Amino acid sequence: MAVDYTTHDGVAVITLNNPPVNGLGLSTRAGIVDGIERAQNDPAIKAIVLTGAGKAFSGGADITEFNTPKATQEPTLGTVIKVVEGSAKPVIAAIHSVAMGGGLELALGAHYRIAAPGAQIALPEVKLGILPGAGGTQRLPRAIGLEASLNMIVSGAPVLSEKLADSGLFDEVVQGDLAEAALAFARKVGAKTGPHPRVRDRKIEHPNAAGFIQFARNSVAAIAKNFPAPQKCIDAVEAGVQNGFDKGLAFERECFMALVQTPESHALRHAFFGERAASKIPDVPADTPVREISKVAVIGAGTMGGGIAMNFINAGIPVTLLETKQEALDRGLATIRKNYEATVKKGKLKPEALEQRMALLTPTLSYDDLKQADLIVEAVFEELGVKEQVFKRLDEVAKPGAILASNTSTLDVDKIAAFTKRPQDVVGMHFFSPANVMKLLEVVRGKATSKDVLATVMKLAKKIRKTAVVSGVCDGFIGNRMIEQYIRQALFMLEEGALPAQIDKAIEKFGFAMGPFRMSDLAGNDIGWAIRKRRYQEHPDMHYSKVADRLCEMGRFGQKTGAGWYDYKAGDRAAYPSKVVDEMIGEFSKDTNAGRRKISDEEIVERLVFSLVNEGAKILEEGIASKASDIDMVYLTGYGFPLHRGGPMLYADTVGLYNVERAIRRYASRANGDAWKIAPSIAELAAKGRGFNTNG
Ligand code: T1G
């Protein structure tokens, strides 16, 4: 039973013991009910303490049970809370570390609550696309008031227990030993006769509840655009304010059952699990020893190198920053300082913290200063010859066991590793620009990369708050290899009849942060041009539309040249459709006898998204990515794929691979159909009625 029951001079202590965070799984729920009943039947017991072992009071419902029969099997959490609340003997929740979701709802069912400082208190259900489903929308407003509770429920954000000391949630915030304090508190209240206080009996006092609720609705309208849960949270709280506790509870249940089935909740839960699953590498055991990383070096103080260095100093890890010329080094340091100053100006960083971080940076022009580094990340010019010089030099100076990482985004990590006599210590760490902001880190595993190097880098990624996804070695790894197909389709559609603004608008309506043409104008059209030129050499068989080359031949590189796919005005970042470009595209179609036709928004979205899905399927088939959710995490954290759709592979599951396959075969039979060689696994999975993600 995932619950321990002990007695201490008339006090029963029920301890949740379901590592890692005392998720309220079926056996834990049953254990609590048994413990409460056992205490009722023991005349020696005067009071009951409910607490959690290990690193949490409780992290809430056991999310590993979601969408399984156990999640709704009795005793449900609602039943458990009713039993706690109905106990004739006082129940005291003794909270430490984490009381989240169902864990906080359980504590709200107790008669008293005491807490240690520093505990994270939250109802984060809205972040999973649901709402508190065990009375949280009814009890929290009665415990801490309408405004504070709505803020917590709609944001899902944790609040530290000491900040809630006077909120009405806790009877005590305990500075000393929580267990001792809980026993003392239990003995005190255990001596009392008469009914013990129930949160459900409190009133929700507010001078203008209807007005505040309307204000809350207006405030969440923007964030609730693609997600139904925030408004439902408000509906449930409002129901309790207007119709009383029991009706409010029933309405909350209805809202919960509706939300848990929505594609948006499925997507959010997929992302929650995907984030955690990404750090697990199938053939690298979780207990693989990791190397100590206390000193890092970064080679290259340009945009990428500077951003990469910031990630480590933000985590308190000292960085030696190497450049070849003093002015490049000075420029790099100045950019880093400017970035921090901007953060200070926004009030997100204290001035003294800025200086502490800058003090962790040691600039140098000499490789000799890299000798003690545990990890060296190179972010030099993206050319194999340059990488060869750097890695050969590193092989000479780096200490044995130092991890040598390349930030390359397109080059072969195996070739880079072969420049050294220690290929087992070489790995790719592909950051995304701006490197100090973007969460995604592609960890590129070479043939020789050792398992402890991988385990070390994955652990370090968590420390620098990155979502790390392991990729095998191929051109473009996971993200860029897929985005290349997406861009190919975008260009073909220009040739066939669409215009940049139509394509961007269609995919932005689908939920992408930015369409391919606005994105290309932002990144610089010349970057894509250089990659295509390389492609034409390496893969002459790969058919590309040359319309983008013609745009570059016009010198229209995007925002940086004031004109790209769109026109731009000085000091204005808005993208204005360009008559010149539209005419060029029309001319281009004539020149290639492509003939122009009307292309629907639906076709635009299908061809852009399914081109990602098709390439993603091939990446899975080749073992470049080990699981579909890794591919989704790459797209959710690095490419602006809409979170409410869960990533390209989950979206394909939602559409159904049967339909994806039919669409791909349809496009393969049309103009530019050679780009649609379907991944065999799509047809195979579709035939079995399955999806990419194991839960189907
Ligand atoms: N159930 C089961 N396992 C959980 C879990 C949970 N609720 N939360 C985390 N884990 C696992 C996680 O997968 C990982 O596993 C390990 O714990 C450490 O997590 C009715 C229905 C609690 C703040 O949304 O926010 O209650 O990878 O790496 O940084 O209204 O986990 O080690 O095998 O994140 O110390 C609401 C989500 C559920 C809380 C700990 N609760 N969890 O953070 O460790 S819905 C949540 C978190 C609900 C009720 C509804 C965090 C944490 P592994 P970690 P951490």
Side-chain angles (χ1 to χ4, degrees):
M1 198 72 90
V3 159
D4 299 325
Y5 182 95
T6 52
T7 57
H8 308 261
D9 301 338
V11 177
V13 178
I14 298 174
T15 307
L16 277 59
N17 192 3
N18 179 22
V21 294
N22 297 326
L24 295 165
L26 179 59
S27 57
T28 310
R29 301 196 300 268
I32 297 168
V33 170
D34 291 353
I36 298 288
E37 279 163 6
R38 190 169 157 188
Q40 304 306 308
N41 303 328
D42 179 346
I45 297 298
K46 303 294 177 231
I48 302 158
V49 169
L50 190 56
T51 191
K55 62 186 245 187
F57 169 79
S58 168
D62 191 331
I63 38 189
T64 61
E65 282 187 0
F66 267 17
N67 291 342
T68 73
K70 279 188 176 178
T72 50
Q73 203 172 317
E74 288 292 359
T76 61
L77 187 52
T79 301
V80 173
I81 292 169
K82 217 180 276 169
V83 166
V84 167
E85 200 170 54
S87 165
K89 299 174 183 178
V91 179
I92 299 94
I95 293 165
H96 63 88
S97 314
V98 169
M100 282 191 168
L104 177 55
E105 292 173 300
L106 173 64
L108 283 164
H111 303 100
Y112 303 93
R113 281 154 299 283
I114 68 171
Q120 292 185 75
I121 309 298
L123 288 177
E125 289 85 344
V126 70
K127 291 186 197 170
L128 298 172
I130 49 181
L131 52 62
T137 65
Q138 306 305 310
R139 287 191 180 87
L140 193 63
R142 286 168 173 76
I144 65 173
L146 179 65
E147 297 194 15
S149 60
L150 259 180
N151 285 336
M152 285 183 70
I153 293 167
V154 169
S155 71
V159 179
L160 287 175
S161 47
E162 62 271 22
K163 296 262 190 297
L164 294 163
D166 307 327
S167 68
L169 178 61
F170 301 120
D171 299 276
E172 261 180 39
V173 173
V174 172
Q175 295 308 331
D177 181 292
L178 181 69
E180 279 312 310
L183 290 174
F185 191 96
R187 288 194 189 98
K188 186 177 70 178
V189 297
K192 281 186 195 162
T193 54
H196 294 283
R198 302 186 312 172
V199 170
R200 60 170 292 156
D201 298 329
R202 296 190 206 175
K203 291 276 162 285
I204 303 176
E205 309 293 345
H206 193 282
N208 177 8
F212 181 75
I213 286 171
Q214 189 49 55
F215 163 74
R217 286 194 192 291
N218 300 343
S219 320
V220 301
I223 58 161
K225 199 160 66 78
N226 295 311
F227 296 96
Q231 290 295 357
K232 284 274 181 203
C233 287
I234 299 172
D235 295 349
V237 170
E238 183 179 48
V241 170
Q242 287 175 346
N243 312 323
F245 184 87
D246 291 321
K247 288 207 174 81
L249 196 64
F251 183 70
E252 175 197 88
R253 193 87 208 125
E254 272 172 50
C255 294
F256 181 85
M257 295 315 283
L259 285 171
V260 81
Q261 303 298 334
T262 58
E264 291 85 356
S265 179
H266 191 189
L268 286 169
R269 298 199 310 268
H270 175 68
F272 177 88
F273 282 111
E275 168 95 33
R276 285 159 180 74
S279 57
K280 297 185 177 73
I281 307 167
D283 66 331
V284 176
D287 59 357
T288 302
V290 295
R291 299 183 192 178
E292 162 82 18
I293 303 289
S294 51
K295 283 195 242 11
V296 170
V298 174
I299 304 177
T303 316
M304 287 309 283
I308 292 169
M310 287 176 71
N311 287 314
F312 293 105
I313 56 179
N314 289 348
I317 302 170
V319 172
T320 301
L321 186 60
L322 171 74
E323 255 296 352
T324 48
K325 295 196 185 65
Q326 191 58 45
E327 60 272 24
L329 198 50
D330 296 344
R331 205 169 39 250
L333 286 169
T335 304
I336 292 172
R337 176 172 288 278
K338 200 157 58 51
N339 285 342
Y340 281 133
E341 281 164 353
T343 313
V344 167
K345 217 182 272 158
K346 284 184 214 147
K348 292 192 178 145
L349 186 70
K350 293 195 177 61
E352 53 275 22
L354 185 161
E355 295 312 330
Q356 280 159 7
R357 291 187 190 181
M358 292 307 289
L360 286 171
L361 268 177
T362 307
T364 180
L365 298 173
S366 161
Y367 269 85
D368 290 343
D369 290 339
L370 308 188
K371 281 197 168 80
Q372 292 316 314
D374 305 304
L375 163 71
I376 302 168
V377 187
E378 64 79 16
V380 299
F381 187 65
E382 188 70 352
E383 203 281 311
L384 203 56
V386 177
K387 306 286 188 191
E388 180 172 6
Q389 285 167 12
V390 167
F391 275 82
K392 283 198 165 132
R393 192 82 179 78
L394 285 181
D395 210 13
E396 289 158 11
V397 302
K399 71 178 183 185
I403 294 176
L404 310 180
S406 169
N407 173 56
T408 182
S409 57
T410 59
L411 300 173
D412 183 331
V413 170
D414 290 329
K415 285 195 182 131
I416 292 173
F419 294 142
T420 74
K421 291 186 280 306
R422 47 177 122 177
Q424 72 282 2
D425 295 338
V426 177
V427 68
M429 287 179 78
H430 176 213
F431 290 85
F432 285 73
S433 183
N436 56 307
V437 173
M438 294 299 280
K439 265 182 79 71
L440 178 60
L441 173 65
E442 278 183 327
V443 175
V444 186
R445 176 180 192 170
K447 285 195 191 66
T449 304
S450 69
K451 293 187 178 183
D452 71 313
V453 164
L454 283 170
T456 305
V457 172
M458 297 309 275
K459 184 171 176 230
L460 183 64
K462 258 195 181 172
K463 188 165 179 173
I464 62 172
R465 306 171 68 79
K466 294 294 179 191
T467 298
V469 175
V470 173
S471 171
V473 174
C474 71
D475 198 332
F477 314 135
I478 297 172
N480 285 343
R481 174 170 160 182
M482 290 166 64
I483 207 72
E484 177 164 20
Q485 299 308 321
Y486 171 95
I487 291 164
R488 278 181 87 194
Q489 289 306 316
L491 297 178
F492 284 141
M493 286 190 279
L494 286 189
E495 217 178 280
E496 296 169 30
L499 290 174
Q502 181 201 359
I503 291 174
D504 281 351
K505 279 204 183 68
I507 199 69
E508 285 162 17
K509 188 158 159 275
F510 173 80
F512 267 80
M514 202 180 262
F517 297 105
R518 284 178 59 215
M519 177 61 90
S520 187
D521 271 359
L522 180 68
N525 298 320
D526 47 333
I527 294 182
W529 197 18
I531 292 176
R532 285 193 304 279
K533 283 177 185 164
R534 191 157 62 80
R535 277 277 172 282
Y536 300 154
Q537 301 299 324
E538 289 165 356
H539 302 281
D541 56 317
M542 190 185 267
H543 162 210
Y544 260 95
S545 165
K546 299 268 194 313
V547 65
D549 301 348
R550 191 170 290 185
L551 181 89
C552 291
E553 284 149 15
M554 296 162 73
R556 294 178 71 102
F557 292 159
Q559 288 190 19
K560 59 184 169 188
T561 58
W565 291 107
Y566 295 90
D567 290 336
Y568 295 92
K569 294 174 186 149
D572 174 357
R573 296 180 71 88
Y576 297 91
S578 161
K579 269 180 68 54
V580 169
V581 169
D582 293 355
E583 278 158 16
M584 178 275 282
I585 293 169
E587 283 307 306
F588 186 87
S589 297
K590 273 203 206 96
D591 296 351
T592 52
N593 302 318
R596 293 182 70 76
R597 66 183 171 85
K598 179 151 176 34
I599 296 181
S600 71
D601 286 2
E602 190 203 9
E603 177 176 344
I604 289 170
V605 170
E606 278 197 338
R607 285 175 64 173
L608 292 181
V609 177
F610 292 172
S611 64
L612 297 176
V613 173
N614 196 38
E615 199 60 28
K618 292 172 187 172
I619 283 170
L620 281 172
E621 288 163 8
E622 295 164 25
I624 295 293
S626 64
K627 40 193 170 313
S629 59
D630 278 1
I631 295 175
D632 286 334
M633 292 320 295
V634 165
Y635 265 74
L636 290 173
T637 59
Y639 289 80
F641 196 93
L643 177 59
H644 67 284
R645 303 219 193 244
M649 310 314 271
L650 186 82
Y651 178 69
D653 289 350
T654 310
V655 168
L657 293 189
Y658 171 82
N659 299 311
V660 173
E661 180 190 0
R662 283 163 48 85
I664 289 176
R665 295 199 188 283
R666 189 165 58 247
Y667 296 125
S669 67
R670 290 189 188 162
N672 302 312
D674 55 310
W676 286 104
K677 287 182 183 51
I678 189 163
S681 56
I682 291 180
E684 286 154 18
L685 288 167
K688 293 178 201 153
R690 291 222 19 242
F692 289 114
N693 292 288
T694 37
N695 50 13

